[in-house]
Amino acid sequence: MNSELSPVAERRDATLKEVAAEAGVSRATVSLVLRQSPLVAAATRERVESAILTVGYVYNRGAARLRTGTSGTIGLIVPEITNPFYAELTAGIDEVLDVEGRLTYLATSNDRPERQERFIRRIREQGVDGIILSAAEGSSPWLLRQLREWRVPVVQILRSIAGIDADFVSPDFSRGTWAAIDHLVAAGHRHIALMPSAKNTSAARERIDTFLSALRHHGLGPGMVTPGASSRSEAADRIGETLISASPPSAVLCHNDLLALGVIAELRRRGMTPGRDLSVIGFDDIPEAASSVPALTTVATLPVEVGIQAARLLLRRIAMPDGAPERILIAPRLILRET
Amino acid sequence: MNSELSPVAERRDATLKEVAAEAGVSRATVSLVLRQSPLVAAATRERVESAILTVGYVYNRGAARLRTGTSGTIGLIVPEITNPFYAELTAGIDEVLDVEGRLTYLATSNDRPERQERFIRRIREQGVDGIILSAAEGSSPWLLRQLREWRVPVVQILRSIAGIDADFVSPDFSRGTWAAIDHLVAAGHRHIALMPSAKNTSAARERIDTFLSALRHHGLGPGMVTPGASSRSEAADRIGETLISASPPSAVLCHNDLLALGVIAELRRRGMTPGRDLSVIGFDDIPEAASSVPALTTVATLPVEVGIQAARLLLRRIAMPDGAPERILIAPRLILRET
DNA sequence: AACGTATTTTAGATCGATCTAAATTCTGTC
DNA sequence: GACAGAATTTAGATCGATCTAAAATACGTT
């Protein structure tokens, strides 16, 4: 290298002012061109547009936000992005926002409320136009009230914080649970167990309640709920304990596919055949469900669709902050495979 | 409800000015308090801090960026978030940025360069401080040169655009490939195939080149490279075609675990035993690899670690824009299971 | 050519923070 | 109590856009 101290060029992006100078018009005119205003004459517009290219202009959205109050961004908070369900959901959201020209801030809360609140504070500082929230386990209802007071549009997904009538998009877990139980009962099962999530969320509680009602409706006793699990291996342990109990079930409905796959693995380890010795049904229909051996029977919850609907609802809410809250439930589909 | 037209309160967030009024000091002083300046007297600081709470102040980072030129955000571009590898990588990045107090814009390019460029333009308008990029297939080298000219710090991950000496973090695919081939050769295999990705990326080409060199090194002919695949089912088709060829291989190394799982599924469908009739090795060690039946032998590429290193490197680069480019390769681990 | 109307363009204030340079207040000393 | 020097506080300009209200220009009639 030649110059030892080569001073950083410190080239800042070109601004409106430079474009205006290049095109020989005022800043206000350039601004009008940028916003596609019909006010400006065709010839002027062309001159400005080529000036924009020659000076390499970059729109400064932060500066614009100062006046317009909108940033073109939204925040997405999920418990964990490594869960395939949330990954697909994120893809659905991204699809909608991309065509709308908006950007997404992503954060994973790891189900820790304080991390979630930290993130919310930060995106508020950035001036997000709205938030899609799958609340961390243990989030306080106070949080949602706070957000409402701040007038930040929020759409909740999958999990809803109790006691507040807010926008909400989710698979219809209740309907999915009914479908699974009806199917098992029709197949002759009389002793059915539920393996719930170890997490105490609205989505988990809803499934337990529905499970119990469905069994009662079919006249099948109080119903057996195993201890909760939150990973494959925990699910394997739980099903192991359950199988040696006094009256083991002939079918088990699991909170999600990961747990169901854990159950299957344990059955095979014990030389049992999933689908014959114990029927297993999961929730979600993650890619692995179709390709596992044996293939998993499951309730598909269509995460991409949930994401798309959530994004669309948020956009509507941003446009109409005082409209009535909506509740959108995506109908799940029972997918019969081998277990 | 009582008031039919309840006019939207249009309550904007409180600003520095209001805090200043409440605390009886100037805006400048409040600003100093916010930035933890040692200049301000303890008593004043306290007064300001309580004023901040009582008026419900929200820092406006957009306004600050106008003066400071930094936004506290970075952009992350991945081909697809639904790939478990990228999901874990994202989690690693998120972990680092959370403790650093920064926010992440997430976008998925779906391997479409125009979508990728659209996203880059948008985050530039927002003034991102840096970008972590896993370039879409077919990205032009021009893009990276452009970014450099714009002086946006960029760290590439996994895939690197040719011809430019830039910051790069990736699993050491070459080393992983050697480890897998050495293992197969030591196990007695003489006819080894590679099933590459259908995508033409640097990561794919590197694996093919290394595979060929490794075989040559072991004196095992030119080496057999099957047509590429990019999904489980494509992998199944490809391996089907390969098995009926004149001299079928006794082992196959796959571009990633998803392809390897597709291969295994096809073998089972044909009544063959993976690991005996055909050895199969994947790349990545996604969660499913450990739990599939039979469990998949694979080269673990430690996505979380890659994410963490990439985030740290980007932060270093933002702090020192003109430092020498770094290349960080994460050593993979061969995990022997049943295939 | 003069006039009224319609079309374009612009000057200057503004959004909410930071920065600079200067003003103010506080200390300790004599 | 006056003064130098340190510690604290502040007025006002500034970042890059948008907005308002007014100015400049063009156009069609008579």
Side-chain angles (χ1 to χ4, degrees):
Chain A
M1 278 299 147
N2 219 335
S3 57
E4 193 179 320
L5 276 184
S6 73
V8 183
E10 196 48 77
R11 202 154 66 74
R12 6 187 6 3
D13 290 330
T15 72
L16 262 197
K17 198 148 89 179
E18 278 121 283
V19 176
E22 172 76 18
V25 297
S26 72
R27 278 153 42 243
T29 303
V30 178
S31 178
L32 290 174
V33 170
L34 287 178
R35 285 172 291 145
Q36 332 250 37
S37 159
L39 285 182
V40 23
T44 315
R45 173 182 307 276
E46 263 175 50
R47 208 141 37 84
V48 170
E49 272 163 358
S50 78
I52 285 178
L53 293 178
T54 65
V55 305
Y57 172 69
V58 182
Y59 185 70
N60 184 331
R61 250 185 167 290
R65 161 155 95 90
L66 220 40
R67 295 250 44 183
T68 62
T70 129
S71 65
T73 62
I74 69 116
L76 169 63
I77 310 179
V78 296
E80 42 179 19
I81 190 70
T82 50
N83 178 324
F85 182 92
Y86 283 114
E88 305 233 357
L89 183 132
T90 302
I93 292 173
D94 195 53
E95 207 56 51
V96 174
L97 295 182
D98 177 45
V99 311
E100 293 289 331
R102 286 168 177 276
L103 287 171
T104 313
Y105 289 109
L106 173 75
T108 56
S109 67
N110 290 353
D111 268 317
R112 298 212 313 267
E114 74 283 4
R115 179 158 169 169
Q116 173 172 281
E117 285 181 30
R118 199 155 62 226
F119 178 69
I120 289 178
R121 181 163 42 68
R122 287 188 193 137
I123 59 179
R124 224 158 69 92
E125 293 179 352
Q126 300 280 359
V128 282
D129 297 332
I131 298 179
I132 296 179
L133 170 68
S134 188
E137 181 188 14
S139 301
S140 101
W142 176 85
L143 173 68
L144 217 57
R145 229 169 270 133
Q146 187 70 265
L147 284 166
R148 167 160 311 183
E149 193 180 326
W150 287 334
R151 314 202 96 247
V152 181
V154 175
V155 169
Q156 294 193 87
I157 49 178
L158 306 194
R159 305 165 170 190
S160 73
I161 296 181
I164 304 217
D165 186 28
D167 290 305
F168 181 62
V169 179
S170 173
D172 191 336
F173 290 122
S174 180
R175 188 159 162 182
T177 303
W178 273 102
I181 299 299
D182 286 352
H183 165 72
L184 289 173
V185 170
H189 289 280
R190 291 292 167 268
H191 197 183
I192 305 173
L194 175 75
M195 180 180 293
S197 165
K199 288 183 178 150
N200 177 21
T201 65
S202 66
R205 287 189 301 274
E206 178 184 1
R207 257 169 281 192
I208 295 176
D209 292 348
T210 308
F211 169 76
L212 295 175
S213 318
L215 286 200
R216 218 175 308 120
H217 170 263
H218 285 294
L220 296 177
M224 174 179 193
V225 177
T226 74
S230 59
S231 67
R232 289 175 201 252
S233 59
E234 278 182 37
D237 294 348
R238 288 305 93 73
I239 203 64
E241 298 156 10
T242 304
L243 289 172
I244 59 171
S245 69
S247 61
S250 67
V252 59
L253 174 61
C254 300
H255 181 83
N256 64 33
D257 285 348
L258 292 175
L259 302 189
L261 290 165
V263 167
I264 287 180
E266 177 65 13
L267 291 180
R268 293 178 59 99
R269 209 182 60 76
R270 295 175 172 241
M272 298 172 69
T273 304
R276 197 167 44 98
D277 300 330
L278 179 69
S279 287
V280 182
I281 300 188
F283 252 98
D284 285 356
D285 192 30
I286 64 177
E288 187 176 349
S291 63
S292 76
V293 179
L296 182 65
T297 295
T298 187
V299 180
T301 49
L302 313 178
V304 175
E305 182 63 16
V306 173
I308 290 175
Q309 295 291 340
R312 295 227 179 102
L313 174 53
L314 182 60
L315 293 174
R316 284 201 296 279
R317 183 57 61 235
I318 289 171
M320 284 192 41
D322 295 304
E326 295 184 37
R327 249 183 107 74
I328 300 179
L329 296 180
I330 311 291
R333 256 184 310 141
L334 178 63
I335 303 203
L336 301 176
R337 296 206 181 93
E338 302 163 19
T339 63
Chain B
M1 279 297 147
N2 220 334
S3 58
E4 192 179 321
L5 275 182
S6 73
V8 183
E10 196 48 77
R11 203 154 66 75
R12 4 182 15 359
D13 290 330
T15 72
L16 262 198
K17 198 149 91 178
E18 278 121 281
V19 176
E22 172 77 19
V25 298
S26 72
R27 278 153 43 242
T29 303
V30 178
S31 179
L32 289 174
V33 171
L34 287 178
R35 284 171 292 144
Q36 333 250 37
S37 160
L39 285 183
V40 22
T44 314
R45 175 183 307 277
E46 263 176 47
R47 209 141 37 83
V48 170
E49 271 163 358
S50 78
I52 285 177
L53 292 178
T54 65
V55 305
Y57 173 69
V58 181
Y59 185 71
N60 184 331
R61 251 187 165 290
R65 160 156 95 89
L66 263 189
R67 295 252 41 184
T68 62
T70 130
S71 64
T73 62
I74 70 116
L76 169 62
I77 310 180
V78 297
E80 44 179 16
I81 191 68
T82 50
N83 179 325
F85 183 92
Y86 283 115
E88 306 232 356
L89 182 133
T90 302
I93 292 173
D94 194 55
E95 207 56 51
V96 173
L97 295 182
D98 178 46
V99 311
E100 293 288 333
R102 286 168 176 276
L103 287 172
T104 313
Y105 289 108
L106 172 76
T108 56
S109 68
N110 289 354
D111 268 317
R112 299 214 311 269
E114 73 284 3
R115 179 161 169 165
Q116 173 172 281
E117 287 183 28
R118 200 156 59 226
F119 179 69
I120 290 179
R121 182 163 41 71
R122 288 191 193 135
I123 60 180
R124 225 159 67 91
E125 293 180 352
Q126 300 280 359
V128 281
D129 297 333
I131 297 179
I132 296 180
L133 171 69
S134 188
E137 180 187 15
S139 301
S140 101
W142 177 83
L143 173 69
L144 216 57
R145 228 168 272 133
Q146 187 70 266
L147 284 166
R148 166 161 309 184
E149 193 180 325
W150 289 334
R151 312 201 98 248
V152 181
V154 175
V155 169
Q156 294 193 88
I157 49 177
L158 307 194
R159 304 166 170 189
S160 74
I161 296 181
I164 304 217
D165 187 28
D167 290 304
F168 181 62
V169 178
S170 174
D172 191 336
F173 290 123
S174 181
R175 187 158 162 184
T177 303
W178 274 102
I181 299 298
D182 286 352
H183 165 72
L184 289 173
V185 170
H189 290 280
R190 291 294 169 265
H191 196 182
I192 304 173
L194 175 75
M195 180 180 293
S197 164
K199 289 182 177 151
N200 178 22
T201 65
S202 67
R205 288 189 300 273
E206 178 184 3
R207 256 169 278 192
I208 294 175
D209 293 348
T210 309
F211 169 75
L212 295 175
S213 318
L215 286 200
R216 218 175 306 122
H217 172 262
H218 285 293
L220 296 177
M224 174 179 192
V225 176
T226 74
S230 58
S231 66
R232 290 176 200 250
S233 59
E234 278 182 38
D237 295 348
R238 292 302 95 75
I239 202 65
E241 298 156 10
T242 306
L243 289 172
I244 58 170
S245 71
S247 61
S250 69
V252 60
L253 174 60
C254 300
H255 180 82
N256 63 33
D257 286 349
L258 291 175
L259 301 189
L261 290 166
V263 167
I264 288 180
E266 177 66 13
L267 292 180
R268 294 179 56 100
R269 210 182 60 77
R270 296 175 170 240
M272 298 172 69
T273 304
R276 195 167 45 99
D277 300 328
L278 178 70
S279 287
V280 182
I281 300 188
F283 253 96
D284 286 354
D285 193 29
I286 63 178
E288 187 177 348
S291 63
S292 77
V293 180
L296 183 65
T297 294
T298 187
V299 181
T301 48
L302 314 177
V304 175
E305 183 63 16
V306 174
I308 290 174
Q309 295 291 341
R312 295 227 179 101
L313 174 52
L314 182 61
L315 293 174
R316 285 201 296 279
R317 183 59 60 236
I318 289 170
M320 285 191 42
D322 295 305
E326 293 185 37
R327 247 182 108 74
I328 300 178
L329 296 180
I330 311 291
R333 256 183 310 141
L334 179 62
I335 302 202
L336 300 175
R337 295 208 181 93
E338 302 164 18
T339 63

